Structure formats: structure tokens, C-alpha cells
């Protein structure tokens, strides 16, 4: 006689939990959580930002339980003075590091306007970098070679409103090579073709680092989540570091391959519940074991959960 069970898995809308704590190249991590929107979560937290009217969004988010909401009509932004940026922060004045990587989740509430996402710019002579979405809905990396003139590098594919994208932008000062990689989370696929090539050598200025911009016509109108800054070049290949950050597996613990037999199923689920709080099994009457087996087999093949993705199943639950 078969036992009957119901297996519920309670999880957030975020994919997983990245761990940047041991990555010396990670200069800043803004998880944009409620009550801590400006907090730099990468120890020692040097790059905590000043907030200018950016608010919590507890409905639309990709990591944790909140994202930051920028409203263009309010000229929302966050910023940190150049002198207060951590030593090693890319493009900081007084230093020479021009290699950088930015990764972040992006959600546009409107299109057909300019959305300044991240920038280090000011008046002529103090311009360094802008990452923005133009009125053609293309994401651009913009660099100045002399502090005044701009050179534009645009991803060819247009973004859409009310869609989450994961963006990775890298630049290597050794050869000025760059990559703009965009993941369409609705389509579950890379958007178009990565934009690659070489850039001008970025000018280093004393302008503050800003997320958003103090202008109604230029600041972001949408959401950002899990904004990360590195002082090196991340890998953008399939399964590389940018993909790992998007999947929530960057720096995660690696579990050994496990063979789970039917009699050990419940013991393993209890272990998984302890080890990964995104997956909390509970049991009651309702589903037959073979249905649970099928679900678990599917999950092991498709889940971003570190434990579920390292299981082989043998035997039968009958």
C-alpha cells in the first residue's frame, strides 16, 4: 500500500544566494533590501551610498525580498563622493585601475526615455563613464577618453518595459576589450548577441559614483536589484561568472554528487531544509510518492538550488 504525502516548497522569487565574501575583486555589493537600500554588503562596507528619494519595492525584486525603485519624475538617485570610494574601486581618482565589471538586475517601468543607470560624470573635464538605456531602448556603455568627449558602445537589441533583465558589463584595461551581456529573464535566454569590441582608454575623474542621475530627463524610471562592482574582468561565457551571478550560484558551496535512494528521501529533505532556507519541505496527505519522485527528478535537473542540482535518484518510491 502506498503512503500518501504532499510536498510543499516555499521559496522567494529570487533565484539563489550569491556569496561574494571571499572575492577580493568585489569592491561593492548593493542588495537594495528594505531598510538597507544604500548599504554596501561587501565587508567592510566602505561604499555605502547616500540616498536621494529612492524607495523600497517589496513586490518586484529578483534577490532577497526587495529591490530599489527609481522614479524619474523625482530625479531619484544614490551616490558616493569619489574621495569616499574604497581604494581599488574602478575609475577612482588618484588610482590607475581601469578594469571593471558591473552586474545588476534591471526592470524598466517605461521606455522611450533615457535611463541613466550608473555613472561617474559631471561637467566637461570631469566625465568618465555612463551606463544607460537610450531612447531606442538600447543599453549603452559610454566612456570618455579626455574627460569631455564621449564614445558610445551600444548593445544592438532593444529592451522592453516591465521585463527583468540581468546585465553584465566588463572592461579589461590590458587590451581595452569589453563585453555587454544581457539576459532576458522572461524569455529565459540571452538577449540577442553580446556586444563586444575595444574601447577608448577611460579618463579617470573626481566625479561621484552615482546610480541614477539628478535630472528628471535622465534618471532611471524603474528598478534595480543586486548591483555588484568588481575591479577585474568577469567571464561572460555560457556558465561563466556573469551567468553564475544571475543564477545565484556565484561563490556558493559545492556539494558532492549524491545518490539518493527512496528510503533515504525524507532524511535528505530534512537535511536540505537545514542547509538551504529557500527550500522548506513540509508533509501531509495528498500526493502519492511517485509524484514526488517525478518532481524531485525534474528539480534536480532544472533548479538553481545547490543541493537539488547535485542529486541522482535510484530506486522507486512505490
Amino acid at each position: 500500500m502506498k503512503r500518501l504525502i504532499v510536498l510543499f516548497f516555499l521559496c522567494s522569487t529570487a533565484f539563489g544566494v550569491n556569496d561574494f565574501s571571499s572575492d577580493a575583486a568585489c569592491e561593492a555589493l548593493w542588495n537594495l533590501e528594505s531598510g538597507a537600500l544604500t548599504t554596501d554588503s561587501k565587508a567592510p562596507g566602505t561604499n555605502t551610498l547616500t540616498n536621494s528619494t529612492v524607495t523600497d519595492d517589496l513586490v518586484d525584486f529578483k534577490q532577497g525580498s526587495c529591490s530599489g525603485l527609481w522614479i524619474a519624475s523625482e530625479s531619484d538617485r544614490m551616490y558616493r563622493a569619489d574621495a569616499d570610494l574604497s581604494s581599488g574601486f574602478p575609475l577612482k581618482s588618484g588610482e590607475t585601475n581601469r578594469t571593471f565589471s558591473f552586474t545588476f538586475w534591471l526592470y524598466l517601468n517605461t521606455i522611450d526615455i533615457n535611463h541613466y543607470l550608473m555613472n561617474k560624470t559631471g561637467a566637461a573635464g570631469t566625465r568618465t563613464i555612463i551606463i544607460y538605456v537610450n531612447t531606442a531602448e538600447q543599453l549603452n556603455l559610454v566612456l570618455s577618453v579626455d574627460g569631455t568627449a564621449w564614445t558610445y558602445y551600444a548593445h544592438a537589441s532593444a529592451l522592453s518595459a516591465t521585463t527583468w533583465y540581468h546585465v553584465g558589463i566588463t572592461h579589461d584595461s590590458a587590451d581595452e576589450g569589453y563585453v555587454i551581456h544581457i539576459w532576458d529573464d522572461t524569455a529565459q535566454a540571452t538577449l540577442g548577441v553580446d556586444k563586444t569590441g575595444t574601447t577608448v582608454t577611460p579618463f579617470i575623474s573626481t566625479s561621484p559614483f552615482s546610480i541614477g542621475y539628478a535630472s528628471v530627463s535622465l534618471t532611471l524610471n524603474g528598478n534595480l536589484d543586486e548591483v555588484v562592482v568588481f575591479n577585474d574582468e568577469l567571464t561572460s561565457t555560457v556558465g561563466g561568472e556573469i551567468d553564475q551571478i544571475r543564477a545565484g550560484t556565484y561563490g556558493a558551496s559545492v556539494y558532492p554528487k549524491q545518490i539518493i535512494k527512496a528510503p533515504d528521501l525524507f532524511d535528505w529533505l530534512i537535511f536540505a531544509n537545514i542547509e538551504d532556507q529557500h527550500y522548506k519541505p513540509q508533509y501531509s496527505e495528498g500526493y502519492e510518492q511517485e509524484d514526488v519522485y517525478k518532481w524531485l527528478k525534474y528539480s534536480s535537473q532544472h533548479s538553481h538550488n545547490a543541493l537539488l542540482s547535485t542529486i541522482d535518484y535510484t530506486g522507486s518510491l512505490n
Side-chain angles (χ1 to χ4, degrees), residues 30 32-39 49 51 54-56 66-68 78:
W30 297 290
L32 299 164
E33 291 300 309
S34 181
L37 282 178
T38 63
T39 300
L49 303 169
N51 189 12
V54 178
T55 55
D56 299 350
C66 179
S67 68
M78 297 180 178

Side-chain angles (χ1 to χ4, degrees), residues 153-203:
Y153 309 94
H155 193 283
S157 298
L159 305 182
S160 299
T162 64
T163 298
W164 277 107
Y165 297 97
H166 188 259
V167 178
I169 298 174
T170 72
H171 174 266
D172 183 3
S173 64
D175 59 6
E176 307 298 355
Y178 77 98
V179 175
I180 303 174
H181 175 80
I182 305 174
W183 171 268
D184 182 330
D185 201 49
T186 298
Q188 286 290 290
T190 298
L191 181 68
V193 178
D194 288 357
K195 176 68 174 177
T196 62
T198 56
T199 71
V200 298
T201 300
F203 179 80

Side-chain angles (χ1 to χ4, degrees), residues 78-126:
M78 297 180 178
Y79 59 93
R80 188 166 184 83
D82 176 82
D84 296 330
L85 294 170
S86 59
S87 178
F89 195 96
L91 305 174
K92 174 182 169 69
S93 68
E95 300 184 7
T96 59
N97 181 33
R98 292 175 168 84
T99 296
F100 58 79
S101 296
F102 297 90
T103 67
F104 51 91
W105 284 101
L106 170 65
Y107 182 95
L108 301 177
N109 284 318
T110 57
I111 54 175
D112 301 327
I113 65 170
N114 290 309
H115 298 269
Y116 274 42
L117 308 179
M118 275 142 265
N119 64 86
K120 201 169 183 291
T121 187
T126 65

